[in-house]
């Protein structure tokens, strides 16, 4: 089979689309004929090299994909040949205290397909049974292959960790990205008043289409000052911030008394000034979040499959153009997800 892969960390030129050993499913695994996958910023970090993550090389990137079940291991009971499935990339041990309590995303041995182990941007992928969700036959492959990671992440951030309630005000930073555009839709669905930032007027218009009530071009305006002005100096109840050092202080400034910042990443750096004086004086909460539990994944993906939520696709490329796909993510080109398809499917 052919797969996107790299044999060393580095810039985009380390990526190739070459032959890779054929795969066979283990006892608890499923072999998937991949029809479409999608990129996340995680793929960029993995390619460049993450501290403390020692990958087996060559490594296949990719945490999002969907396809048809081709074969199953002898212990697999949930799927059979011909089923349509999508990957849910968070792998839990199922045995630690957090898994036993039903919050697998807090698993002490939690890891992510495509980040810590071989990913799914290939003609075929072997995936643990527990990391697949059924996809209704009417759902397009581009939708099925691009929804899981960002929508489950945004759902857990807002619904579970931040406890978002109808009528609250929510600021979504980077609303044109994968998690950002999912968060706008989820906040709107929850009945919140949604504020969104992006870098161009075109991206802001897309954010409005996804449900944003107010949009701010952060290249032209101080978003914290704009939020205060739009809310009569009150601020918002929740900020969704996956950007990190570059935005953290302004995220705190944007909050109303008792507000909360919820974060799932730090693309501009993980170590901002803590801002403890603002946190204790305004009684703010800073909440971490990663990926969702299986039940939360099912809840949010049902709303994708029925059309309530829509992963916006900015570009669809053959896997042989993986360098270009990575370039689009790194350069923040366009709005929504970048999808890659095996060349054999084109």
């Amino acid at each position: 089979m052919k797969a996107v892969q790299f044999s060393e960390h580095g810039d985009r030129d380390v990526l190739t689309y070459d032959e890779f050993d054929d795969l066979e499913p283990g006892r608890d695994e499923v072999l998937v004929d991949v029809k479409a996958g999608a990129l996340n910023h995680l793929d960029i970090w993995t390619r460049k090299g993450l501290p403390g993550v020692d990958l087996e090389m060559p490594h296949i990137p990719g945490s999002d994909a969907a396809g048809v079940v081709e074969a199953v291991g002898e212990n697999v009971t949930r799927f059979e040949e011909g089923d349509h499935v999508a990957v849910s990339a968070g792998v839990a041990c199922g045995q630690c205290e957090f898994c036993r309590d039903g919050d697998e995303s807090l698993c002490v041995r939690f890891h992510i397909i495509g980040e810590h182990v071989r990913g799914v941007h290939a003609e075929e992928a072997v995936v643990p049974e527990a990391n697949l969700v059924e996809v209704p036959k009417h759902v397009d492959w581009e939708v099925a292959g691009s929804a899981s990671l960002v929508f489950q992440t945004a759902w857990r951030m807002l619904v579970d960790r931040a406890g978002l309630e109808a009528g609250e005000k929510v600021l979504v930073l980077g609303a044109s990205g994968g998690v950002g555009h999912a968060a706008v839709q989820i906040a709107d669905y929850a009945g919140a008043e949604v504020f969104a930032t992006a870098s161009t007027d075109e991206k802001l218009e897309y954010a409005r289409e996804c449900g944003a009530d107010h949009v701010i071009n952060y290249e032209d305006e101080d978003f914290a000052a704009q939020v205060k002005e739009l809310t009569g100096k009150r601020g918002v109840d929740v900020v969704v911030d996956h950007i990190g050092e570059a935005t953290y202080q302004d995220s705190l400034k944007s909050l109303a008394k008792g507000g909360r910042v919820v974060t799932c990443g730090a693309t501009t750096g993980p170590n901002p000034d803590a801002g403890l004086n603002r946190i204790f004086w305004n009684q703010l909460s800073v909440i971490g979040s990663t990926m969702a539990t299986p039940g939360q994944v099912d809840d949010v993906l049902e709303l994708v499959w029925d059309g309530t939520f829509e992963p916006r696709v900015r570009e669809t490329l053959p896997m042989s153009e993986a360098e270009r796909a990575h370039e689009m993510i790194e350069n923040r080109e366009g709005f929504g997800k970048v999808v890659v398809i095996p060349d054999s499917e084109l």
Side-chain angles (χ1 to χ4, degrees):
M1 72 163 188
K2 281 196 168 183
V4 179
Q5 56 193 284
F6 55 84
S7 295
E8 60 180 333
H9 295 297
D11 206 345
R12 294 185 294 271
D13 59 3
V14 302
L15 293 166
T16 63
Y17 185 62
D18 289 326
E19 292 294 331
F20 197 90
D21 291 342
D22 288 339
L23 306 174
E24 294 289 338
R27 297 167 62 91
D28 301 302
E29 294 177 327
V30 176
L31 178 65
V32 179
D33 177 13
V34 174
K35 301 299 183 184
L39 272 73
N40 298 283
H41 213 99
L42 177 61
D43 297 309
I44 309 304
W45 301 331
T46 302
R47 189 198 75 225
K48 291 182 175 180
L50 288 163
V53 178
D54 186 16
L55 295 175
E56 180 181 354
M57 297 292 187
H59 178 72
I60 299 174
S63 302
D64 268 327
V68 178
V69 172
E70 193 169 345
V72 300
E74 59 188 273
N75 291 344
V76 172
T77 59
R78 293 174 51 230
F79 302 104
E80 60 184 25
E81 186 177 340
D83 286 348
H84 289 199
V85 293
V87 176
S88 179
V91 181
C93 72
Q95 300 174 352
C96 69
E97 61 177 298
F98 301 104
C99 288
R100 292 195 301 270
D101 288 343
D103 198 344
E104 293 88 345
S105 68
L106 293 174
C107 173
V108 297
R109 289 180 286 277
F110 187 82
H111 60 280
I112 299 174
I113 293 170
E115 178 182 3
H116 304 94
V117 297
R118 181 186 298 145
V120 291
H121 288 172
E123 291 181 325
E124 295 179 334
V126 166
V127 181
E129 177 185 22
N131 289 96
L132 291 172
V133 294
E134 185 177 359
V135 177
K137 296 289 178 68
H138 72 271
V139 176
D140 291 342
W141 289 123
E142 288 186 352
V143 171
S146 62
S148 177
L149 192 145
V150 295
F151 275 92
Q152 68 169 283
T153 299
W155 183 267
R156 180 172 174 85
M157 290 175 79
L158 286 168
V159 176
D160 179 74
R161 299 292 288 144
L164 180 65
E165 296 182 358
E168 290 193 303
K169 302 179 189 298
V170 178
L171 170 63
V172 178
L173 303 185
S176 65
V179 170
H181 92 297
V184 169
Q185 294 180 61
I186 291 167
D188 179 55
Y189 173 80
E193 183 179 355
V194 184
F195 300 71
T197 73
S199 60
T200 69
D201 290 342
E202 181 183 17
K203 291 178 181 179
L204 292 173
E205 184 56 37
Y206 278 121
R208 284 192 186 278
E209 291 179 10
C210 286
D213 300 292
H214 312 277
V215 295
I216 302 166
N217 187 325
Y218 65 78
E219 293 285 1
D220 299 334
E221 301 173 295
D222 178 332
F223 74 79
Q226 279 296 107
V227 165
K228 288 294 188 178
E229 180 177 336
L230 290 167
T231 60
K233 299 184 179 181
R234 175 188 182 274
V236 297
D237 301 289
V238 176
V239 176
V240 175
D241 186 345
H242 50 87
I243 298 170
E245 287 182 17
T247 54
Y248 175 76
Q249 290 298 329
D250 283 335
S251 290
L252 295 181
K253 291 177 185 177
S254 299
L255 287 171
K257 290 270 191 175
R260 54 254 195 230
V261 171
V262 59
T263 177
C264 67
T267 57
T268 61
N271 296 306
D273 184 300
L276 292 179
N277 56 337
R278 189 179 297 274
I279 289 173
F280 70 69
W281 186 252
N282 291 332
Q283 300 187 50
L284 308 178
S285 299
V286 179
I287 304 167
S289 188
T290 52
M291 296 169 69
T293 67
Q296 292 163 356
V297 172
D298 290 341
D299 288 344
V300 70
L301 289 184
E302 282 299 321
L303 294 168
V304 174
W305 307 152
D306 72 11
T308 300
F309 300 143
E310 178 189 356
R312 299 295 181 95
V313 176
R314 68 179 92 168
E315 190 78 44
T316 299
L317 297 169
M319 286 187 180
S320 59
E321 296 183 23
E323 284 190 55
R324 173 59 182 147
H326 279 236
E327 181 182 32
M328 293 187 73
I329 299 295
E330 287 184 272
N331 293 342
R332 298 182 290 117
E333 297 179 33
F335 186 97
K337 301 288 289 180
V338 177
V339 171
V340 289
I341 293 176
D343 288 44
S344 57
E345 295 291 331
L346 298 174

